Amino acid sequence: MSASSLPQAATPAAPAPAKVETPFRRFVSEFFESKTATVGLIVFTLLVLIALFAPLIAPQNPYDLAQLDIMDGRLEPGTRNGMDTFTYWLGTDDQGRDMLSGIMYGLRISLSVGAGSAIIACLVGASLGLLAAYAGGRTDSVIMRLVDLQLSFPSILAALMILAFLGKGVMNVVLALVIVEWAYYARTVRGTALVERRREYIEAAQCLALPTHRVIFRHLLPNCMPPLIVVGTMQIARAIALEATLSFLGLGVPITEPSLGLLISNGYEYMLSGKYWISFYPGIALLITIVSINLVGDHLRDVLNPRLKK
Amino acid sequence: MKQSYRAAVLAAVSAFGLGIAMPAKAQNVTIAVGAQVTSLDPHYHALSPNYAVAEMLFGALAGFDSAGRIQPGLAESWRPVAENVWEFKLRPNVRFHNGNAFTAEDVAFTISRVPTVPNSPSSYALYTRAIQSVEVVDPLTVRFHTEGPYPVLPNDLAQVAMLDKETHEGAATEDFNSGKVAIGAGPFRFVSFRSGDRLELARNDDYWGPKPAWERVSYRIIPNDGARTAAILAGDVDMIDQVPTTDIARLRNDNRVRISERNGLRVIFLALDHQHPEGSPFITDNDGKPLGRNPLLDLRVRQALNMAIDRNAIVGRVMEGAAIPTAQFLPQGAFGYVPGLEPPRPDAEAARKLLAEAGYPNGFRMTLHGPNDRYINDARIIQAIGQMWTRIGVRTAVEGQPWTTFVARAGRQELSAFLVGWGTASGEASSPLRSLTATYSRDRGWGGSNRGRYSNPAADAKLEAALRELDDAKREALLQEATRITMEDVGIMPIHIQKNVWATRPGLEHDSRADELTRAQDVRPAGAQPAAR
Amino acid sequence: MSLYLLRRLFQAALVMLAMSVIVFVGVYAIGDPVEILISPDADQIERERAIKALGLDLPLWMQYLSFLGNALRGDLGRSFVFNEPALQLILQRMPATLELAFGATIMALIIGIPLGLYAGLKPKSPVSKTIMTASIFGFSLPTFWVGLMLIMVFAVQLGWLPSTGRGETVEVLGMRWSFLTWDGLRHLAMPALNLALFKISLVIRLTRAGVRETMLMDYVKFARAKGLTNKRVIFVHVFKNIMIPVVTVVGLELGSTIAFSVVTESVFAWPGMGKLIIDSINVLDRPVIVAYLMIIVLMFITINLLVDLSYSALDPRVRLENKQ
């Protein structure tokens, strides 16, 4: 990937050729050079569509208790339902919840929790990290001590407290994840920015008396992007997995509105007894989701990295 | 550790269908339990796993047999000699692990120590408070004076492990945990204790009762259900308790393990809000507006909700058979069981009719709460009940929370309907009647766990009479009446009584116990004589 | 330099103070420890007695002040559950967690760096692509699920390793360690791998990203132009540069591994601090929660300090003295 992007990147490096090439177009064409990343993006788009239209395409509303029948519990994949109106293609869980529908709805929750918390955490964390690195001094100390405080606070305890204050719910889980994760971004960005701000181009920008926010966001931030994207990619995956873990510990989303993680942890008790489908299929769905996000993020990093394009 | 290795090899051998050859000299046993032993001080923290350990190391004046009936322990017999005096005859020739003889002085010392253990989060004083004074008649006779008639004293004293006056005078909880004074008259001696990990014990060859089958006992704590099951399947341990219901069916068909089970003394039930007549916190009409009254105060509504619950479905589908449907506190055979008091036949039609009669033809909305980490399948049970209630028109949302959060809210009367459990440690119905359904009263010490604040003066009267009745037959009749009155009024909705399930490797026999305790003296190699009671 | 250290120590104290306040308020908001710990048979009088015995009858601010007073004298309180000093309880469990965390970290470095180097140097090869895909799986799978799968395969099906628990220990320096015995290592293998899985992927990706960036740097090109051997270029010039992010992240991860090994410890019944803290949270054993978090905060601050110090050692452009 790098070898192919390198000679191509070398051409536009020559100043102002007559070709009309916006940075965005260049980015798009570079992105689609990778087949795996393209596949990842397609799969991810598909998953997002499934999540968006779950209420229209799922055979059952798994969140409506009236539609579940406990007598249909733990049926094997391919069994017809008790009323003989549709087939449980992926079987049912202990409550008689259709796993296929459960996965579709669970995807909605997992994706929105993962992406939502990662984006908010990134915004908060990166801004604070940049500020810390750029301002230095007392601001830096205060922010970094806050980071220490945050990183030393077990996510489970933070989640437990937040959920105790606010009660269970998707938004509260997002909030808990943001509180748990922003510090990672802050620390990463600060670490890189600390190195970057000593570099000549920042000094040059400062000498030109550019406004501070311009220096930070137009000069410092883009050069801090590569590690931010590495961390960001991992944090989305991590957010989704962490939500699953919270569910495993009984602290996640409400039990009647399971996310992929909660479906896995509900079914995991049945793994030893041979009823693999309750945990297995949500596990596969989770895996595909995270892997597709990571394939995209992985390649994004290569494309966005300014240093790979020197 | 050689033991577990050998067990692993054995398990592997049997897994390949080569049959099982039990080594004749199996003298060690490894038991994995799900619940944490918090202290070896038998008077520090009243908690089931601590009782189990106390019964291995120490022993009490009375004990419970495997069915939960009271029977002699360090005392051979007892009887009321006056309305407010109990006389206990001690077992002669009983010695502590250090050789000291067990006498009436030790009993008096123990009773005086119990309320003085510092920082106790759950004191055993509960079981000694009725005793006003202890009278040492002779070395083997002791009398307890109570304020009034106190029929359940033997049951209470069955919870109190006896200590040695000479050894334990001034002993602190830490001294027990370090092993320094972990000395009792029980069937096993202390070897080592690593908190949160394992307790190692050795046989007490001078034990007064039947000799235990094991030279060494390794009592390991593995709280994770899956891990515990995996440990017995891998042959790392010889026995596990609290077998997850999800694994029972499979383990029954696995020749690497044997299942041993018994109906327990723990009832799972729903409690209802009786505190708020002007409207319950989690009940609204179908549009989400307040109702202005609490429908749960109407007997017909309670009956309808009760009738909507298909207990057989819950037991069969959710509990996978590891429970029995019930309409009362205790299983058949226990003291205070009411013969013929059965759960109503599930009938959605009749339930809807009752709701309509009560003025809710279209039902209402309600949230059913419950813990999700406390009782077996707790979160699954409330979801199943949510389904059943929704079908009769009571649109039910379900919320499972960690016990810490849940119990605080339930204890503040913030919930409308919620699932809880009750284990009757004393084995008799007076305990749940007094704590769960009696009218809340600080002065009487009643209703301590009555979180829905149910109140029924008729049942209270029967209970009050029972608590002062020394005659067992009369007392049981009174308790049965109190139970019947409460249940016909649907004061609480019992769902099922749990079965206690253990798994052992083949070649072991286990006397399963109703009281959930997992003790090494209850296991022995197949064919050996039953050991301790 | 010493002034810098002093300032960091002062900040650490502030953070710990803030942490203890949060825990006090948090535990207070969640619920009542007595309600959870007390025998259900207990009546109201017994409950009140227990509340008084644990000092919970005082107003929260008075409880906090008395905690603070004792803490200054080195006493972090006694566990509600175990009636032992909270600090002692945690220190007893610490070796188990430490060996798990270090085991996992060492595994991550030993496996991760070579694979990452390879993937970074030969990004086009199918082996590299396999490594990268595998690394994606490494942090996609939830830890608890992988843990159970490991137990299913290696303990139940194959019978190679013990399913759970910690093995035999030997006493060194007054603490009990299990990694010095064969039995202990056998018990350690699976939980350490379970905990390492995420980190291996992390190290692979960081190393690879670092290598790929560094190889394009002018100084590497220059070193090559100078005719240095490939080996020397990679192991001296490239390696030194890629170690910065790896050190940062692994350092940070070591701390969080120690702090958050809760899941692995509970799946594998590993009697460490993580297990203790989750149990303590479940019963609201406040003294243990507070003491645990204090220790963790202290540890994090130390680790961060070390990371910052090694930054300045590895990258001369970062000067600690420059920080005002």
Side-chain angles (χ1 to χ4, degrees):
Chain A
M1 284 175 279
S2 75
S4 60
S5 66
L6 192 63
Q8 196 232 13
T11 330
K19 232 176 8 179
V20 186
E21 193 186 42
T22 64
F24 179 72
R25 209 173 275 171
R26 189 175 65 205
F27 161 75
V28 169
S29 73
E30 274 179 31
F31 181 85
F32 285 110
E33 266 168 35
S34 161
K35 279 201 195 73
T36 45
T38 312
V39 170
L41 189 66
I42 292 171
V43 171
F44 181 66
T45 314
L46 216 61
L47 290 173
V48 170
L49 288 177
I50 291 177
L52 278 177
F53 295 108
L56 299 177
I57 50 179
Q60 184 193 57
N61 178 358
Y63 296 168
D64 182 2
L65 284 178
Q67 290 191 28
L68 309 183
D69 187 348
I70 192 164
M71 299 316 286
D72 275 2
R74 303 192 305 271
L75 293 179
E76 280 185 39
T79 320
R80 295 287 290 176
N81 75 335
M83 320 250 274
D84 205 26
T85 49
F86 65 92
T87 304
Y88 296 123
W89 288 113
L90 300 182
T92 61
D93 73 358
D94 55 282
Q95 294 293 322
R97 188 177 283 122
D98 174 39
M99 289 315 295
L100 182 63
S101 312
I103 288 170
M104 288 174 171
Y105 276 75
L107 204 56
R108 275 161 90 88
I109 302 213
S110 289
L111 280 176
S112 40
V113 166
S117 65
I119 290 168
I120 300 173
C122 183
L123 287 178
V124 175
S127 318
L128 288 173
L130 276 176
L131 185 65
Y134 190 82
R138 183 147 297 163
T139 318
D140 185 28
S141 300
V142 169
I143 292 174
M144 290 326 286
R145 266 2 87 197
L146 218 58
V147 167
D148 289 345
L149 181 73
Q150 185 45 58
L151 289 179
S152 46
F153 211 75
S155 43
I156 288 134
L157 186 68
L160 184 64
M161 282 183 180
I162 291 161
L163 298 174
F165 275 125
L166 306 173
K168 268 190 179 186
V170 176
M171 282 323 291
N172 299 341
V173 173
V174 171
L175 189 62
L177 292 177
V178 169
I179 292 176
V180 167
E181 289 191 339
W182 70 270
Y184 286 92
Y185 295 93
R187 203 175 157 88
T188 312
V189 169
R190 176 185 173 267
T192 324
L194 217 54
V195 175
E196 294 294 331
R197 74 169 288 230
R198 307 264 159 232
R199 296 213 166 170
E200 296 80 357
Y201 67 89
I202 297 288
E203 277 168 30
Q206 281 168 332
C207 289
L208 288 173
L210 294 177
T212 310
H213 65 88
R214 194 179 155 90
V215 178
I216 292 182
F217 288 105
R218 296 297 292 275
H219 297 264
L220 199 50
L221 183 60
N223 285 287
C224 298
M225 281 313 275
L228 193 61
I229 289 169
V230 180
V231 173
T233 314
M234 293 187 159
Q235 289 307 108
I236 292 185
R238 201 178 165 118
I240 294 176
L242 192 61
E243 184 274 316
T245 308
L246 283 175
S247 300
F248 170 70
L249 295 168
L251 300 168
V253 294
I255 44 172
T256 46
E257 296 179 12
S259 62
L260 288 180
L262 190 58
L263 287 174
I264 296 175
S265 65
N266 275 342
Y268 122 101
E269 290 169 41
Y270 291 100
M271 286 300 275
L272 279 172
S273 51
K275 298 190 179 65
Y276 68 92
W277 61 90
I278 306 177
S279 192
F280 183 73
Y281 291 123
I284 295 296
L286 182 70
L287 202 65
I288 295 175
T289 311
I290 298 177
V291 168
S292 68
I293 295 173
N294 282 332
L295 287 175
V296 173
D298 211 26
H299 187 57
L300 268 183
R301 185 192 54 199
D302 291 346
V303 176
L304 288 178
N305 191 336
R307 277 188 235 161
L308 285 177
K309 286 190 232 152
K310 270 190 188 155
Chain B
M1 283 305 105
K2 281 211 177 90
Q3 173 61 28
S4 67
Y5 178 69
R6 188 173 63 216
V9 170
L10 266 177
V13 167
S14 64
F16 286 107
L18 298 176
I20 307 141
M22 276 309 305
K25 58 181 169 73
Q27 288 278 297
N28 300 355
V29 69
T30 304
I31 299 172
V33 294
Q36 169 98 273
V37 177
T38 63
S39 179
L40 296 192
D41 182 339
H43 305 150
Y44 172 66
H45 188 184
L47 190 73
S48 296
N50 293 348
Y51 285 126
V53 168
E55 294 196 2
M56 292 192 279
L57 278 173
F58 302 97
L61 292 181
F64 296 103
D65 68 5
S66 49
R69 283 179 299 256
I70 192 149
Q71 58 162 17
L74 290 169
E76 280 184 324
S77 64
W78 49 82
R79 65 192 171 100
V81 288
E83 176 137 271
N84 61 340
V85 183
W86 278 93
E87 184 178 276
F88 280 64
K89 285 281 182 198
L90 303 188
R91 195 175 291 277
N93 304 321
V94 171
R95 294 196 172 273
F96 289 103
H97 299 155
N98 59 4
N100 289 356
F102 169 68
T103 66
E105 287 295 339
D106 297 317
V107 177
F109 162 74
T110 301
I111 301 300
S112 70
R113 178 182 189 259
V114 168
T116 64
V117 176
N119 303 337
S120 170
S122 177
S123 172
Y124 286 71
L126 178 65
Y127 303 116
T128 59
R129 212 172 56 211
I131 300 170
Q132 289 200 316
S133 65
V134 183
E135 178 192 346
V136 176
V137 179
D138 64 56
L140 292 179
T141 312
V142 61
R143 282 187 182 161
F144 300 103
H145 295 256
T146 56
E147 194 186 343
Y150 193 74
V152 293
L153 190 70
N155 304 59
D156 279 2
L157 287 178
Q159 316 282 358
V160 180
M162 287 294 139
L163 295 182
D164 177 20
K165 185 177 184 194
E166 189 190 317
T167 313
H168 296 111
E169 194 111 60
T173 299
E174 277 155 297
D175 300 330
F176 284 90
N177 293 344
S178 71
K180 207 167 100 191
V181 297
I183 291 162
F188 295 97
R189 294 164 181 274
F190 173 89
V191 174
S192 71
F193 176 52
R194 269 192 275 156
S195 174
D197 183 19
R198 66 184 66 182
L199 171 69
E200 304 275 350
L201 302 170
R203 176 162 59 210
N204 170 18
D205 287 313
D206 300 325
Y207 182 56
W208 56 267
K211 212 165 153 188
W214 311 107
E215 186 65 46
R216 291 291 289 257
V217 176
S218 182
Y219 199 76
R220 289 179 49 186
I221 296 150
I222 305 183
N224 183 281
D225 285 341
R228 217 164 43 250
T229 306
I232 184 95
L233 284 177
D236 292 339
V237 301
D238 301 313
M239 174 161 111
I240 61 170
D241 68 359
Q242 300 177 24
V243 177
T245 53
T246 50
D247 294 334
I248 294 175
R250 185 187 118 118
L251 293 185
R252 267 189 221 286
N253 297 320
D254 193 317
N255 60 3
R256 285 173 289 181
V257 295
R258 257 175 82 148
I259 294 284
S260 103
E261 62 187 336
R262 182 182 283 274
N263 293 342
L265 295 170
R266 187 177 298 277
V267 62
I268 299 298
F269 63 93
L270 301 183
L272 304 171
D273 173 26
H274 289 265
Q275 172 88 344
H276 305 98
E278 69 296 338
S280 197
F282 282 94
I283 296 181
T284 64
D285 70 6
N286 282 325
D287 303 321
K289 297 195 187 73
L291 276 172
R293 57 188 161 148
N294 180 354
L296 299 176
L297 295 180
D298 188 323
L299 174 62
R300 288 166 299 188
V301 173
R302 298 202 297 273
Q303 283 171 333
L305 292 173
N306 199 27
M307 206 176 274
I309 300 172
D310 183 348
R311 290 170 173 79
N312 284 315
I314 292 174
V315 166
R317 310 300 302 187
V318 180
M319 296 299 288
E320 303 196 40
I324 44 171
T326 191
Q328 49 182 307
F329 299 114
L330 292 166
Q332 193 160 10
F335 193 90
Y337 170 81
V338 186
L341 181 56
E342 296 292 334
R345 202 173 54 81
D347 188 341
E349 267 317 302
R352 259 187 233 111
K353 240 172 86 190
L354 276 168
L355 279 180
E357 278 172 30
Y360 305 96
N362 299 316
F364 48 87
R365 280 179 193 243
M366 171 152 79
T367 303
L368 174 61
H369 287 82
N372 60 4
D373 58 357
R374 179 79 171 183
Y375 308 107
I376 300 171
N377 296 328
D378 40 16
R380 294 195 173 112
I381 298 167
I382 53 176
Q383 284 187 71
I385 294 172
Q387 289 183 18
M388 293 161 184
W389 283 358
T390 304
R391 276 204 196 91
I392 63 159
V394 178
R395 291 166 65 189
T396 309
V398 169
E399 195 173 333
Q401 291 177 311
W403 176 252
T404 43
T405 321
F406 166 78
V407 77
R409 297 181 74 190
R412 290 193 298 256
Q413 285 74 49
E414 286 176 12
L415 309 177
S416 290
F418 52 96
L419 176 136
V420 260
W422 180 266
T424 304
S426 70
E428 83 156 59
S430 56
S431 129
L433 278 168
R434 202 175 68 111
S435 296
L436 288 183
T437 52
T439 305
Y440 181 86
S441 156
R442 190 192 167 281
D443 298 335
R444 280 167 131 176
W446 284 14
S449 294
N450 184 353
R451 300 189 178 94
R453 298 288 189 260
Y454 172 72
S455 171
N456 187 331
D460 286 355
K462 297 286 179 197
L463 174 65
E464 176 144 40
L467 289 176
R468 308 188 75 81
E469 179 56 65
L470 287 167
D471 184 285
D472 279 352
K474 285 186 193 152
R475 189 165 84 253
E476 181 161 23
L478 285 165
L479 294 175
Q480 286 167 338
E481 282 172 57
T483 306
R484 185 183 289 280
I485 292 169
T486 306
M487 297 308 170
E488 280 172 358
D489 194 32
V490 202
I492 60 165
M493 285 181 215
I495 307 294
H496 59 240
I497 288 173
Q498 292 178 356
K499 285 184 183 172
N500 305 329
V501 186
W502 289 262
T504 65
R505 66 179 163 82
L508 291 187
E509 261 173 40
H510 174 241
D511 288 329
S512 50
R513 288 180 67 84
D515 60 11
E516 303 179 4
L517 302 189
T518 302
R519 318 180 309 173
Q521 58 262 48
D522 300 324
V523 210
R524 61 188 177 275
Q529 282 303 304
R533 317 158 288 104
Chain C
M1 188 70 187
S2 59
L3 191 73
Y4 172 74
L5 281 176
L6 255 164
R7 189 179 295 128
R8 290 291 289 254
L9 279 177
F10 175 69
Q11 289 163 349
L14 275 184
V15 172
M16 285 163 83
L17 204 66
M19 181 67 84
S20 61
V21 174
I22 293 174
V23 175
F24 260 75
V25 175
V27 171
Y28 184 78
I30 294 171
D32 175 5
V34 170
E35 187 73 32
I36 294 153
L37 292 170
I38 200 154
S39 157
D41 277 315
D43 56 19
Q44 293 84 340
I45 298 166
E46 259 338 296
R47 278 163 211 258
E48 280 160 23
R49 193 208 309 244
I51 288 172
K52 217 175 159 69
L54 300 181
L56 297 172
D57 53 334
L58 302 171
L60 191 65
W61 63 270
M62 273 174 74
Q63 294 179 39
Y64 183 72
L65 283 187
S66 84
F67 159 79
L68 215 55
N70 291 331
L72 288 177
R73 274 177 270 124
D75 173 11
L76 292 179
R78 297 173 84 87
S79 158
F80 294 159
V81 179
F82 299 100
N83 196 21
E84 290 192 29
L87 198 61
Q88 179 190 326
L89 213 55
I90 292 163
L91 291 179
Q92 274 170 6
R93 305 281 187 99
M94 196 181 251
T97 297
L98 284 183
E99 61 189 24
L100 190 61
F102 277 103
T105 304
I106 291 167
M107 245 185 220
L109 290 176
I110 290 177
I111 300 173
I113 291 180
L115 291 181
L117 264 178
Y118 186 90
L121 292 171
K122 296 188 177 161
K124 300 280 276 183
S125 92
V127 177
S128 302
K129 292 204 167 138
T130 315
I131 292 174
M132 292 319 290
T133 315
S135 84
I136 288 177
F137 279 77
F139 60 79
S140 300
L141 293 163
T143 315
F144 67 90
W145 201 68
V146 177
L148 202 81
M149 292 302 111
L150 286 174
I151 295 177
M152 286 270 288
V153 174
F154 291 104
V156 179
Q157 299 297 327
L158 299 172
W160 291 351
L161 292 167
S163 56
T164 52
R166 195 165 176 230
E168 264 180 83
T169 55
V170 284
E171 197 165 317
V172 178
L173 302 171
M175 288 189 170
R176 308 205 67 94
W177 304 92
S178 78
F179 72 97
L180 298 169
T181 65
W182 173 238
D183 180 61
L185 281 177
R186 277 166 43 86
H187 278 86
L188 184 59
M190 267 203 297
L193 179 65
N194 186 218
L195 200 56
L197 221 54
F198 181 85
K199 267 197 271 288
I200 294 173
S201 311
L202 196 63
V203 172
I204 290 179
R205 296 172 77 83
L206 285 168
T207 312
R208 173 179 172 273
V211 169
R212 292 199 52 205
E213 271 183 23
T214 321
M215 291 305 279
L216 297 171
M217 291 281 185
D218 293 337
Y219 68 88
V220 174
K221 290 184 192 155
F222 181 70
R224 290 200 164 174
K226 244 170 68 178
L228 295 182
T229 61
N230 213 16
K231 212 164 138 191
R232 193 173 156 78
V233 173
I234 291 166
F235 284 99
V236 177
H237 297 269
V238 175
F239 206 66
K240 198 176 165 188
N241 272 281
I242 61 168
M243 284 321 279
I244 297 173
V246 174
V247 164
T248 318
V249 176
V250 168
L252 277 174
E253 278 291 314
L254 177 66
S256 52
T257 311
I258 294 171
F260 309 139
S261 57
V262 176
V263 176
T264 299
E265 288 188 10
S266 75
V267 169
F268 287 91
W270 189 262
M273 290 164 23
K275 191 75 198 52
L276 179 69
I277 187 68
I278 193 79
D279 290 345
S280 301
I281 291 172
N282 281 336
V283 295
L284 297 179
D285 193 347
R286 193 183 63 201
V288 177
I289 304 177
V290 175
Y292 173 85
L293 289 173
M294 298 284 226
I295 290 175
I296 296 290
V297 170
L298 195 66
M299 190 174 73
F300 263 94
I301 288 169
T302 317
I303 288 172
N304 286 347
L305 187 62
L306 290 178
V307 168
D308 281 355
L309 290 177
S310 55
Y311 253 41
S312 75
L314 287 169
D315 188 341
R317 286 170 301 185
V318 183
R319 286 266 170 256
L320 297 175
E321 285 78 11
N322 287 348
K323 298 175 66 163
Q324 261 93 76

